[in-house]
mmCIF file of all heavy atoms in Angstrom:
data_model
loop_
_atom_site.group_PDB
_atom_site.id
_atom_site.type_symbol
_atom_site.label_atom_id
_atom_site.label_comp_id
_atom_site.label_asym_id
_atom_site.label_seq_id
_atom_site.Cartn_x
_atom_site.Cartn_y
_atom_site.Cartn_z
ATOM 1 N N THR A 45 2.836 -8.521 5.234
ATOM 2 C CA THR A 45 4.282 -8.568 5.004
ATOM 3 C C THR A 45 4.980 -7.351 5.600
ATOM 4 O O THR A 45 6.174 -7.371 5.797
ATOM 5 C CB THR A 45 4.612 -8.679 3.492
ATOM 6 O OG1 THR A 45 4.162 -7.509 2.830
ATOM 7 C CG2 THR A 45 4.002 -9.905 2.867
ATOM 8 N N CYS A 46 4.214 -6.325 5.912
ATOM 9 C CA CYS A 46 4.764 -5.097 6.489
ATOM 10 C C CYS A 46 4.926 -5.214 8.003
ATOM 11 O O CYS A 46 5.586 -4.381 8.636
ATOM 12 C CB CYS A 46 3.855 -3.905 6.160
ATOM 13 S SG CYS A 46 3.489 -3.716 4.401
ATOM 14 N N ALA A 47 4.273 -6.221 8.605
ATOM 15 C CA ALA A 47 4.189 -6.331 10.071
ATOM 16 C C ALA A 47 5.549 -6.466 10.744
ATOM 17 O O ALA A 47 5.732 -5.950 11.850
ATOM 18 C CB ALA A 47 3.291 -7.505 10.452
ATOM 19 N N MET A 48 6.478 -7.128 10.110
ATOM 20 C CA MET A 48 7.784 -7.363 10.749
ATOM 21 C C MET A 48 8.466 -6.041 11.114
ATOM 22 O O MET A 48 9.033 -5.920 12.192
ATOM 23 C CB MET A 48 8.696 -8.165 9.827
ATOM 24 C CG MET A 48 10.006 -8.485 10.457
ATOM 25 S SD MET A 48 9.761 -9.562 11.852
ATOM 26 C CE MET A 48 10.844 -10.858 11.434
ATOM 27 N N CYS A 49 8.339 -5.053 10.246
ATOM 28 C CA CYS A 49 9.001 -3.764 10.506
ATOM 29 C C CYS A 49 8.046 -2.683 10.993
ATOM 30 O O CYS A 49 8.461 -1.783 11.721
ATOM 31 C CB CYS A 49 9.685 -3.265 9.230
ATOM 32 S SG CYS A 49 10.975 -4.375 8.630
ATOM 33 N N HIS A 50 6.787 -2.739 10.562
ATOM 34 C CA HIS A 50 5.851 -1.657 10.852
ATOM 35 C C HIS A 50 4.750 -2.060 11.818
ATOM 36 O O HIS A 50 3.817 -1.286 12.052
ATOM 37 C CB HIS A 50 5.235 -1.126 9.558
ATOM 38 C CG HIS A 50 6.246 -0.505 8.661
ATOM 39 N ND1 HIS A 50 6.713 0.776 8.836
ATOM 40 C CD2 HIS A 50 6.904 -0.993 7.574
ATOM 41 C CE1 HIS A 50 7.610 1.049 7.898
ATOM 42 N NE2 HIS A 50 7.739 -0.004 7.136
ATOM 43 N N GLY A 51 4.827 -3.264 12.372
ATOM 44 C CA GLY A 51 3.858 -3.710 13.365
ATOM 45 C C GLY A 51 2.567 -4.249 12.768
ATOM 46 O O GLY A 51 2.231 -3.955 11.631
ATOM 47 N N THR A 52 1.885 -5.039 13.553
ATOM 48 C CA THR A 52 0.618 -5.611 13.127
ATOM 49 C C THR A 52 -0.365 -4.477 12.824
ATOM 50 O O THR A 52 -0.499 -3.557 13.615
ATOM 51 C CB THR A 52 0.056 -6.518 14.237
ATOM 52 O OG1 THR A 52 1.050 -7.491 14.561
ATOM 53 C CG2 THR A 52 -1.211 -7.226 13.786
ATOM 54 N N THR A 53 -1.007 -4.566 11.704
ATOM 55 C CA THR A 53 -1.948 -3.546 11.198
ATOM 56 C C THR A 53 -1.345 -2.143 11.177
ATOM 57 O O THR A 53 -2.047 -1.150 11.274
ATOM 58 C CB THR A 53 -3.293 -3.533 11.964
ATOM 59 O OG1 THR A 53 -3.077 -3.163 13.323
ATOM 60 C CG2 THR A 53 -4.011 -4.868 11.873
ATOM 61 N N GLY A 54 -0.022 -2.084 11.043
ATOM 62 C CA GLY A 54 0.642 -0.791 10.892
ATOM 63 C C GLY A 54 0.939 -0.046 12.167
ATOM 64 O O GLY A 54 1.328 1.110 12.144
ATOM 65 N N HIS A 55 0.773 -0.699 13.312
ATOM 66 C CA HIS A 55 1.051 -0.068 14.606
ATOM 67 C C HIS A 55 2.475 -0.429 15.028
ATOM 68 O O HIS A 55 2.695 -1.409 15.728
ATOM 69 C CB HIS A 55 0.030 -0.516 15.659
ATOM 70 C CG HIS A 55 -1.338 -0.026 15.366
ATOM 71 N ND1 HIS A 55 -2.249 -0.767 14.654
ATOM 72 C CD2 HIS A 55 -1.946 1.151 15.664
ATOM 73 C CE1 HIS A 55 -3.368 -0.070 14.534
ATOM 74 N NE2 HIS A 55 -3.200 1.103 15.135
ATOM 75 N N SER A 56 3.422 0.365 14.587
ATOM 76 C CA SER A 56 4.833 0.112 14.831
ATOM 77 C C SER A 56 5.187 0.231 16.307
ATOM 78 O O SER A 56 4.741 1.155 16.987
ATOM 79 C CB SER A 56 5.680 1.090 14.022
ATOM 80 O OG SER A 56 7.045 0.831 14.204
ATOM 81 N N VAL A 57 5.968 -0.716 16.790
ATOM 82 C CA VAL A 57 6.447 -0.665 18.167
ATOM 83 C C VAL A 57 7.941 -0.371 18.214
ATOM 84 O O VAL A 57 8.508 -0.169 19.261
ATOM 85 C CB VAL A 57 6.142 -1.964 18.950
ATOM 86 C CG1 VAL A 57 4.654 -2.134 19.139
ATOM 87 C CG2 VAL A 57 6.736 -3.164 18.258
ATOM 88 N N GLY A 58 8.566 -0.368 17.054
ATOM 89 C CA GLY A 58 9.993 -0.126 16.974
ATOM 90 C C GLY A 58 10.263 1.273 16.436
ATOM 91 O O GLY A 58 9.418 2.166 16.549
ATOM 92 N N GLY A 59 11.389 1.430 15.821
ATOM 93 C CA GLY A 59 11.784 2.722 15.295
ATOM 94 C C GLY A 59 11.251 3.023 13.909
ATOM 95 O O GLY A 59 11.504 4.095 13.367
ATOM 96 N N ASN A 60 10.515 2.082 13.323
ATOM 97 C CA ASN A 60 9.991 2.303 11.979
ATOM 98 C C ASN A 60 8.698 3.101 12.018
ATOM 99 O O ASN A 60 7.955 3.080 13.000
ATOM 100 C CB ASN A 60 9.761 0.966 11.263
ATOM 101 C CG ASN A 60 11.057 0.258 10.984
ATOM 102 O OD1 ASN A 60 11.975 0.839 10.425
ATOM 103 N ND2 ASN A 60 11.157 -0.987 11.404
ATOM 104 N N GLU A 61 8.444 3.776 10.928
ATOM 105 C CA GLU A 61 7.266 4.628 10.815
ATOM 106 C C GLU A 61 5.973 3.818 10.930
ATOM 107 O O GLU A 61 5.806 2.806 10.260
ATOM 108 C CB GLU A 61 7.307 5.331 9.454
ATOM 109 C CG GLU A 61 6.223 6.325 9.218
ATOM 110 C CD GLU A 61 6.439 7.118 7.941
ATOM 111 O OE1 GLU A 61 7.123 6.636 7.014
ATOM 112 O OE2 GLU A 61 5.904 8.228 7.884
ATOM 113 N N PRO A 62 5.034 4.246 11.780
ATOM 114 C CA PRO A 62 3.733 3.553 11.826
ATOM 115 C C PRO A 62 2.945 3.865 10.561
ATOM 116 O O PRO A 62 2.977 4.979 10.035
ATOM 117 C CB PRO A 62 3.054 4.150 13.055
ATOM 118 C CG PRO A 62 3.751 5.425 13.335
ATOM 119 C CD PRO A 62 5.120 5.331 12.750
ATOM 120 N N LEU A 63 2.257 2.873 10.044
ATOM 121 C CA LEU A 63 1.477 3.036 8.820
ATOM 122 C C LEU A 63 -0.012 3.231 9.102
ATOM 123 O O LEU A 63 -0.730 3.753 8.262
ATOM 124 C CB LEU A 63 1.671 1.822 7.917
ATOM 125 C CG LEU A 63 3.130 1.493 7.539
ATOM 126 C CD1 LEU A 63 3.186 0.244 6.673
ATOM 127 C CD2 LEU A 63 3.798 2.668 6.860
ATOM 128 N N ALA A 64 -0.472 2.795 10.255
ATOM 129 C CA ALA A 64 -1.896 2.883 10.605
ATOM 130 C C ALA A 64 -2.365 4.326 10.582
ATOM 131 O O ALA A 64 -1.760 5.190 11.199
ATOM 132 C CB ALA A 64 -2.145 2.284 11.979
ATOM 133 N N GLY A 65 -3.424 4.567 9.814
ATOM 134 C CA GLY A 65 -4.010 5.892 9.744
ATOM 135 C C GLY A 65 -3.303 6.860 8.830
ATOM 136 O O GLY A 65 -3.731 8.005 8.692
ATOM 137 N N MET A 66 -2.212 6.433 8.185
ATOM 138 C CA MET A 66 -1.513 7.327 7.260
ATOM 139 C C MET A 66 -2.416 7.548 6.047
ATOM 140 O O MET A 66 -3.020 6.601 5.545
ATOM 141 C CB MET A 66 -0.180 6.704 6.808
ATOM 142 C CG MET A 66 0.602 7.622 5.883
ATOM 143 S SD MET A 66 2.170 6.906 5.328
ATOM 144 C CE MET A 66 3.093 6.892 6.854
ATOM 145 N N PRO A 67 -2.530 8.797 5.566
ATOM 146 C CA PRO A 67 -3.366 9.041 4.394
ATOM 147 C C PRO A 67 -2.939 8.184 3.205
ATOM 148 O O PRO A 67 -1.740 8.009 2.945
ATOM 149 C CB PRO A 67 -3.142 10.523 4.103
ATOM 150 C CG PRO A 67 -2.732 11.111 5.421
ATOM 151 C CD PRO A 67 -1.946 10.020 6.097
ATOM 152 N N LYS A 68 -3.911 7.611 2.530
ATOM 153 C CA LYS A 68 -3.658 6.694 1.415
ATOM 154 C C LYS A 68 -2.735 7.313 0.378
ATOM 155 O O LYS A 68 -1.766 6.688 -0.043
ATOM 156 C CB LYS A 68 -4.980 6.290 0.775
ATOM 157 C CG LYS A 68 -4.803 5.384 -0.425
ATOM 158 C CD LYS A 68 -6.133 5.104 -1.092
ATOM 159 C CE LYS A 68 -5.881 4.416 -2.428
ATOM 160 N NZ LYS A 68 -7.102 4.357 -3.222
ATOM 161 N N ASP A 69 -3.030 8.540 -0.050
ATOM 162 C CA ASP A 69 -2.220 9.174 -1.090
ATOM 163 C C ASP A 69 -0.768 9.346 -0.675
ATOM 164 O O ASP A 69 0.150 9.203 -1.475
ATOM 165 C CB ASP A 69 -2.811 10.524 -1.499
ATOM 166 C CG ASP A 69 -4.143 10.371 -2.228
ATOM 167 O OD1 ASP A 69 -4.432 9.263 -2.731
ATOM 168 O OD2 ASP A 69 -4.894 11.370 -2.275
ATOM 169 N N GLU A 70 -0.547 9.655 0.592
ATOM 170 C CA GLU A 70 0.816 9.812 1.102
ATOM 171 C C GLU A 70 1.563 8.480 1.060
ATOM 172 O O GLU A 70 2.724 8.417 0.660
ATOM 173 C CB GLU A 70 0.788 10.352 2.537
ATOM 174 C CG GLU A 70 2.147 10.559 3.150
ATOM 175 C CD GLU A 70 2.089 11.075 4.573
ATOM 176 O OE1 GLU A 70 1.018 11.538 5.016
ATOM 177 O OE2 GLU A 70 3.127 10.999 5.256
ATOM 178 N N LEU A 71 0.900 7.424 1.469
ATOM 179 C CA LEU A 71 1.535 6.111 1.463
ATOM 180 C C LEU A 71 1.809 5.641 0.049
ATOM 181 O O LEU A 71 2.892 5.102 -0.223
ATOM 182 C CB LEU A 71 0.660 5.101 2.218
ATOM 183 C CG LEU A 71 1.297 3.772 2.559
ATOM 184 C CD1 LEU A 71 2.662 3.918 3.218
ATOM 185 C CD2 LEU A 71 0.367 2.973 3.468
ATOM 186 N N VAL A 72 0.879 5.846 -0.866
ATOM 187 C CA VAL A 72 1.108 5.475 -2.267
ATOM 188 C C VAL A 72 2.307 6.238 -2.818
ATOM 189 O O VAL A 72 3.171 5.658 -3.496
ATOM 190 C CB VAL A 72 -0.157 5.740 -3.130
ATOM 191 C CG1 VAL A 72 0.156 5.629 -4.616
ATOM 192 C CG2 VAL A 72 -1.258 4.774 -2.750
ATOM 193 N N ARG A 73 2.382 7.528 -2.516
ATOM 194 C CA ARG A 73 3.509 8.332 -2.986
ATOM 195 C C ARG A 73 4.823 7.768 -2.464
ATOM 196 O O ARG A 73 5.803 7.626 -3.213
ATOM 197 C CB ARG A 73 3.348 9.787 -2.540
ATOM 198 C CG ARG A 73 4.513 10.700 -2.930
ATOM 199 C CD ARG A 73 4.367 12.110 -2.383
ATOM 200 N NE ARG A 73 4.114 12.182 -0.955
ATOM 201 C CZ ARG A 73 5.039 12.033 -0.001
ATOM 202 N NH1 ARG A 73 6.299 11.751 -0.329
ATOM 203 N NH2 ARG A 73 4.728 12.141 1.270
ATOM 204 N N LYS A 74 4.845 7.398 -1.190
ATOM 205 C CA LYS A 74 6.076 6.843 -0.606
ATOM 206 C C LYS A 74 6.433 5.503 -1.252
ATOM 207 O O LYS A 74 7.607 5.262 -1.553
ATOM 208 C CB LYS A 74 5.928 6.689 0.909
ATOM 209 C CG LYS A 74 5.939 8.017 1.629
ATOM 210 C CD LYS A 74 5.823 7.838 3.118
ATOM 211 C CE LYS A 74 5.857 9.195 3.796
ATOM 212 N NZ LYS A 74 5.963 9.093 5.247
ATOM 213 N N PHE A 75 5.435 4.639 -1.454
ATOM 214 C CA PHE A 75 5.699 3.357 -2.137
ATOM 215 C C PHE A 75 6.364 3.600 -3.485
ATOM 216 O O PHE A 75 7.337 2.953 -3.847
ATOM 217 C CB PHE A 75 4.403 2.586 -2.389
ATOM 218 C CG PHE A 75 3.826 1.860 -1.198
ATOM 219 C CD1 PHE A 75 2.455 1.739 -1.059
ATOM 220 C CD2 PHE A 75 4.628 1.265 -0.243
ATOM 221 C CE1 PHE A 75 1.886 1.058 -0.004
ATOM 222 C CE2 PHE A 75 4.088 0.583 0.819
ATOM 223 C CZ PHE A 75 2.708 0.478 0.947
ATOM 224 N N LYS A 76 5.806 4.535 -4.244
ATOM 225 C CA LYS A 76 6.320 4.809 -5.595
ATOM 226 C C LYS A 76 7.702 5.447 -5.550
ATOM 227 O O LYS A 76 8.537 5.176 -6.407
ATOM 228 C CB LYS A 76 5.320 5.649 -6.370
ATOM 229 C CG LYS A 76 4.070 4.847 -6.710
ATOM 230 C CD LYS A 76 3.059 5.635 -7.518
ATOM 231 C CE LYS A 76 1.875 4.759 -7.868
ATOM 232 N NZ LYS A 76 0.894 5.468 -8.689
ATOM 233 N N GLU A 77 7.958 6.267 -4.549
ATOM 234 C CA GLU A 77 9.297 6.853 -4.398
ATOM 235 C C GLU A 77 10.322 5.779 -4.046
ATOM 236 O O GLU A 77 11.448 5.808 -4.542
ATOM 237 C CB GLU A 77 9.278 7.946 -3.327
ATOM 238 C CG GLU A 77 8.587 9.210 -3.782
ATOM 239 C CD GLU A 77 8.460 10.262 -2.686
ATOM 240 O OE1 GLU A 77 8.770 9.973 -1.503
ATOM 241 O OE2 GLU A 77 8.026 11.378 -3.009
ATOM 242 N N PHE A 78 9.939 4.836 -3.204
ATOM 243 C CA PHE A 78 10.826 3.710 -2.911
ATOM 244 C C PHE A 78 11.099 2.914 -4.180
ATOM 245 O O PHE A 78 12.237 2.587 -4.493
ATOM 246 C CB PHE A 78 10.231 2.768 -1.850
ATOM 247 C CG PHE A 78 10.284 3.287 -0.447
ATOM 248 C CD1 PHE A 78 9.139 3.306 0.336
ATOM 249 C CD2 PHE A 78 11.464 3.735 0.115
ATOM 250 C CE1 PHE A 78 9.179 3.767 1.649
ATOM 251 C CE2 PHE A 78 11.518 4.201 1.426
ATOM 252 C CZ PHE A 78 10.366 4.215 2.194
ATOM 253 N N ARG A 79 10.048 2.592 -4.904
ATOM 254 C CA ARG A 79 10.164 1.746 -6.094
ATOM 255 C C ARG A 79 11.054 2.412 -7.152
ATOM 256 O O ARG A 79 11.828 1.735 -7.800
ATOM 257 C CB ARG A 79 8.789 1.441 -6.657
ATOM 258 C CG ARG A 79 8.831 0.435 -7.763
ATOM 259 C CD ARG A 79 7.505 -0.163 -8.106
ATOM 260 N NE ARG A 79 6.470 0.820 -8.334
ATOM 261 C CZ ARG A 79 5.210 0.530 -8.560
ATOM 262 N NH1 ARG A 79 4.823 -0.735 -8.558
ATOM 263 N NH2 ARG A 79 4.321 1.456 -8.768
ATOM 264 N N SER A 80 10.941 3.716 -7.314
ATOM 265 C CA SER A 80 11.727 4.417 -8.336
ATOM 266 C C SER A 80 13.158 4.675 -7.894
ATOM 267 O O SER A 80 14.008 5.008 -8.715
ATOM 268 C CB SER A 80 11.060 5.746 -8.690
ATOM 269 O OG SER A 80 11.220 6.681 -7.629
ATOM 270 N N GLY A 81 13.413 4.564 -6.598
ATOM 271 C CA GLY A 81 14.739 4.864 -6.070
ATOM 272 C C GLY A 81 14.875 6.313 -5.624
ATOM 273 O O GLY A 81 15.941 6.726 -5.155
ATOM 274 N N ALA A 82 13.818 7.112 -5.766
ATOM 275 C CA ALA A 82 13.848 8.510 -5.351
ATOM 276 C C ALA A 82 13.973 8.643 -3.826
ATOM 277 O O ALA A 82 14.510 9.622 -3.330
ATOM 278 C CB ALA A 82 12.600 9.251 -5.834
ATOM 279 N N LYS A 83 13.454 7.650 -3.100
ATOM 280 C CA LYS A 83 13.535 7.652 -1.636
ATOM 281 C C LYS A 83 14.453 6.493 -1.229
ATOM 282 O O LYS A 83 14.178 5.344 -1.535
ATOM 283 C CB LYS A 83 12.129 7.473 -1.043
ATOM 284 C CG LYS A 83 12.063 7.596 0.452
ATOM 285 C CD LYS A 83 10.596 7.625 0.894
ATOM 286 C CE LYS A 83 10.418 7.704 2.382
ATOM 287 N NZ LYS A 83 10.796 8.986 2.948
ATOM 288 N N PRO A 84 15.568 6.800 -0.569
ATOM 289 C CA PRO A 84 16.494 5.729 -0.163
ATOM 290 C C PRO A 84 15.859 4.761 0.828
ATOM 291 O O PRO A 84 14.989 5.155 1.613
ATOM 292 C CB PRO A 84 17.653 6.477 0.488
ATOM 293 C CG PRO A 84 17.377 7.930 0.360
ATOM 294 C CD PRO A 84 15.985 8.101 -0.140
ATOM 295 N N ALA A 85 16.268 3.517 0.767
ATOM 296 C CA ALA A 85 15.696 2.495 1.647
ATOM 297 C C ALA A 85 16.673 1.340 1.813
ATOM 298 O O ALA A 85 17.594 1.168 1.019
ATOM 299 C CB ALA A 85 14.391 1.987 1.058
ATOM 300 N N THR A 86 16.426 0.547 2.848
ATOM 301 C CA THR A 86 17.207 -0.669 3.035
ATOM 302 C C THR A 86 16.539 -1.847 2.330
ATOM 303 O O THR A 86 17.212 -2.590 1.622
ATOM 304 C CB THR A 86 17.388 -0.990 4.538
ATOM 305 O OG1 THR A 86 16.107 -1.042 5.143
ATOM 306 C CG2 THR A 86 18.244 0.056 5.216
ATOM 307 N N VAL A 87 15.224 -1.996 2.494
ATOM 308 C CA VAL A 87 14.504 -3.072 1.827
ATOM 309 C C VAL A 87 13.262 -2.623 1.076
ATOM 310 O O VAL A 87 12.782 -3.316 0.190
ATOM 311 C CB VAL A 87 14.103 -4.223 2.795
ATOM 312 C CG1 VAL A 87 15.317 -4.892 3.377
ATOM 313 C CG2 VAL A 87 13.166 -3.731 3.870
ATOM 314 N N MET A 88 12.732 -1.451 1.391
ATOM 315 C CA MET A 88 11.472 -1.017 0.798
ATOM 316 C C MET A 88 11.556 -0.854 -0.708
ATOM 317 O O MET A 88 10.570 -1.060 -1.419
ATOM 318 C CB MET A 88 10.988 0.295 1.430
ATOM 319 C CG MET A 88 10.323 0.094 2.777
ATOM 320 S SD MET A 88 8.895 -1.039 2.741
ATOM 321 C CE MET A 88 7.828 -0.245 1.561
ATOM 322 N N HIS A 89 12.719 -0.488 -1.232
ATOM 323 C CA HIS A 89 12.834 -0.347 -2.682
ATOM 324 C C HIS A 89 12.622 -1.685 -3.378
ATOM 325 O O HIS A 89 12.084 -1.732 -4.482
ATOM 326 C CB HIS A 89 14.180 0.292 -3.058
ATOM 327 C CG HIS A 89 15.367 -0.549 -2.688
ATOM 328 N ND1 HIS A 89 15.734 -0.800 -1.387
ATOM 329 C CD2 HIS A 89 16.243 -1.194 -3.467
ATOM 330 C CE1 HIS A 89 16.810 -1.580 -1.372
ATOM 331 N NE2 HIS A 89 17.142 -1.830 -2.631
ATOM 332 N N GLN A 90 13.006 -2.775 -2.743
ATOM 333 C CA GLN A 90 12.792 -4.112 -3.314
ATOM 334 C C GLN A 90 11.359 -4.581 -3.076
ATOM 335 O O GLN A 90 10.725 -5.117 -3.978
ATOM 336 C CB GLN A 90 13.782 -5.116 -2.734
ATOM 337 C CG GLN A 90 15.211 -4.861 -3.113
ATOM 338 C CD GLN A 90 15.439 -4.978 -4.621
ATOM 339 O OE1 GLN A 90 14.727 -5.673 -5.328
ATOM 340 N NE2 GLN A 90 16.436 -4.265 -5.111
ATOM 341 N N LEU A 91 10.855 -4.408 -1.869
ATOM 342 C CA LEU A 91 9.499 -4.853 -1.550
ATOM 343 C C LEU A 91 8.470 -4.167 -2.422
ATOM 344 O O LEU A 91 7.537 -4.803 -2.915
ATOM 345 C CB LEU A 91 9.187 -4.610 -0.070
ATOM 346 C CG LEU A 91 9.969 -5.460 0.925
ATOM 347 C CD1 LEU A 91 9.685 -5.000 2.346
ATOM 348 C CD2 LEU A 91 9.639 -6.919 0.764
ATOM 349 N N SER A 92 8.604 -2.867 -2.615
ATOM 350 C CA SER A 92 7.595 -2.126 -3.385
ATOM 351 C C SER A 92 7.587 -2.541 -4.862
ATOM 352 O O SER A 92 6.564 -2.402 -5.528
ATOM 353 C CB SER A 92 7.814 -0.619 -3.247
ATOM 354 O OG SER A 92 9.098 -0.264 -3.707
ATOM 355 N N LYS A 93 8.684 -3.069 -5.354
ATOM 356 C CA LYS A 93 8.738 -3.540 -6.751
ATOM 357 C C LYS A 93 7.948 -4.832 -6.932
ATOM 358 O O LYS A 93 7.619 -5.211 -8.042
ATOM 359 C CB LYS A 93 10.175 -3.750 -7.196
ATOM 360 C CG LYS A 93 10.939 -2.466 -7.371
ATOM 361 C CD LYS A 93 12.381 -2.728 -7.739
ATOM 362 C CE LYS A 93 13.160 -1.416 -7.783
ATOM 363 N NZ LYS A 93 14.578 -1.650 -8.078
ATOM 364 N N GLY A 94 7.617 -5.510 -5.848
ATOM 365 C CA GLY A 94 6.900 -6.774 -5.918
ATOM 366 C C GLY A 94 5.387 -6.627 -6.045
ATOM 367 O O GLY A 94 4.688 -7.638 -6.139
ATOM 368 N N TYR A 95 4.907 -5.398 -6.065
ATOM 369 C CA TYR A 95 3.458 -5.166 -6.130
ATOM 370 C C TYR A 95 3.129 -4.274 -7.327
ATOM 371 O O TYR A 95 3.890 -3.377 -7.678
ATOM 372 C CB TYR A 95 2.969 -4.470 -4.849
ATOM 373 C CG TYR A 95 3.151 -5.312 -3.616
ATOM 374 C CD1 TYR A 95 4.212 -5.101 -2.742
ATOM 375 C CD2 TYR A 95 2.260 -6.342 -3.331
ATOM 376 C CE1 TYR A 95 4.380 -5.879 -1.614
ATOM 377 C CE2 TYR A 95 2.416 -7.133 -2.192
ATOM 378 C CZ TYR A 95 3.485 -6.897 -1.339
ATOM 379 O OH TYR A 95 3.646 -7.670 -0.229
ATOM 380 N N SER A 96 1.971 -4.512 -7.914
ATOM 381 C CA SER A 96 1.481 -3.663 -8.997
ATOM 382 C C SER A 96 0.997 -2.337 -8.399
ATOM 383 O O SER A 96 0.823 -2.222 -7.168
ATOM 384 C CB SER A 96 0.325 -4.338 -9.725
ATOM 385 O OG SER A 96 -0.827 -4.402 -8.871
#
Side-chain angles (χ1 to χ4, degrees):
T45 64
C46 307
M48 183 65 126
C49 299
H50 296 280
T52 305
T53 64
H55 294 93
S56 181
V57 293
N60 293 309
E61 184 172 25
L63 304 178
M66 182 181 292
K68 177 185 170 191
D69 292 341
E70 180 181 345
L71 193 49
V72 168
R73 178 184 52 78
K74 288 181 179 189
F75 282 147
K76 290 182 178 182
E77 287 175 351
F78 284 129
R79 188 165 51 185
S80 72
K83 186 171 178 71
T86 55
V87 296
M88 281 303 301
H89 64 293
Q90 293 297 333
L91 292 173
S92 59
K93 290 177 185 177
Y95 297 100
S96 69

